[in-house]
Each structure stands twice: as C-alpha cells, then as structure tokens.
Amino acid sequence: MAEAGHAEPDPVRDPWRAPMRLALAEAERAALAGDVPVGAVVLSADGTVLATGHNEREATGDPTAHAEVLALRRAASAHGEWRLTGCTLVVTLEPCVMCAGALVQSRVDRVVFGALDEKAGAAGSLVDVVRDRRLNHRPEVIHGVLADECAAQLTDFFRNR
C-alpha cells in the first residue's frame, strides 16, 4: 500500500508523465492566445520530441488547427514522411473524431491522452475511432495520464471565459 500522499506506481502511465507535462505547457500557450487549452507532443520511437502543437483555431481561423493535427503535420515534416510508424502522440485531451482519424491515417503506434472528453471524445468516450476494427490501423491507447491536471486546465479556462 502507498504511503499517505503518494500514489501507487503505475508502470503503464508513469513513463508518459514527462511528455504530458510538455503537452500541458503547449496547452497553456493556447490558453494565453485565447484558444481552448489543448496541447500535443509527437515522440519518435526512441522518445525524442519530433514536434509539438497547441490549438490555434482562434489565431488562424482554421477549424482544423487542433493541437493533434498541427503536431502530426510538423512531425511528418521533421520525420521526412507522412507515415509516423513507431511514433507516439501525447495530448492533454482525448482526440475528437477529426484528430482520431488523423492519428489512424498517420499510422502512429500509440496515442496517450490525459482528460476524457465525454462530449466529443473519439478514443473511447463517445466513439472509438482509433480502435475500430474495420480500419486498417489501430494505435494503442493509453489514457488518464495526469488526467486531473489536464482536466483542471480546461475547467479553469472555461470558468474564466
């Protein structure tokens, strides 16, 4: 049993805490620009940060400027090809249908997210696009990494609007 104030080690989620903190910092950049605070990081197979992104819909007027899509575009550019096999996308909020589709199309191996999105989540909450057996690629899904911090960032943003 863990001591008071100390959580039990979680071998599935703990390795993703540091990259999720990078995604949280990206999300803060979105909030400071007046956009919904969602941040994403794409890691190569060896754990190197290939790219980051945060929501830029308000700044650009582009409805597709979600953190995940921007990070995937930048990662593909850095990687030198659109297939991001071996890569992991870490994002503060469960991907929507558009972003889940982009994850499948980019062939990432894994998606790691923090907060659930029960209204629009497409990685298990509302629908499960990323693990749909009818599709040609199904990334591994790990959820709940720093979930409370990710959810609090969103709650604080909307409370202050």
Side-chain angles (χ1 to χ4, degrees):
M1 179 183 272
E3 296 177 29
H6 297 289
E8 291 285 336
D10 184 339
V12 173
R13 290 175 184 82
D14 287 352
W16 305 108
R17 291 169 65 88
M20 186 61 77
R21 292 204 185 286
L22 294 174
L24 281 161
E26 280 295 315
E28 182 60 24
R29 292 179 63 198
L32 291 172
D35 216 320
V36 176
V38 177
V41 176
V42 178
L43 305 170
S44 68
D46 68 4
T48 302
V49 174
L50 284 177
T52 62
H54 58 272
N55 278 356
E56 295 182 22
R57 291 183 305 171
E58 299 299 330
T60 63
D62 178 355
T64 69
H66 287 207
E68 300 96 321
V69 170
L70 296 173
L72 289 170
R73 286 177 185 161
R74 293 169 185 152
S77 179
H79 190 58
E81 69 170 297
W82 65 267
R83 285 179 193 85
L84 296 175
T85 306
C87 295
T88 298
L89 180 123
V90 179
V91 62
T92 57
L93 180 65
E94 180 179 1
C96 69
V97 172
M98 176 182 69
C99 294
L103 289 164
V104 170
Q105 292 300 316
S106 69
R107 311 294 197 272
V108 297
D109 280 10
R110 180 180 307 102
V111 59
V112 176
F113 67 88
L116 293 171
D117 186 349
E118 295 178 5
K119 293 180 181 178
S125 288
L126 182 63
V127 293
D128 201 348
V129 171
V130 294
R131 291 178 286 202
D132 189 318
R133 293 186 181 277
R134 296 168 293 182
L135 298 176
N136 64 327
H137 180 74
R138 290 177 297 282
E140 175 187 8
V141 176
I142 298 170
H143 65 87
V145 176
L146 300 179
D148 292 343
E149 291 177 47
C150 294
Q153 192 176 45
L154 288 158
T155 300
D156 291 347
F157 175 79
F158 286 112
R159 182 183 302 126
N160 294 326
R161 288 195 59 89

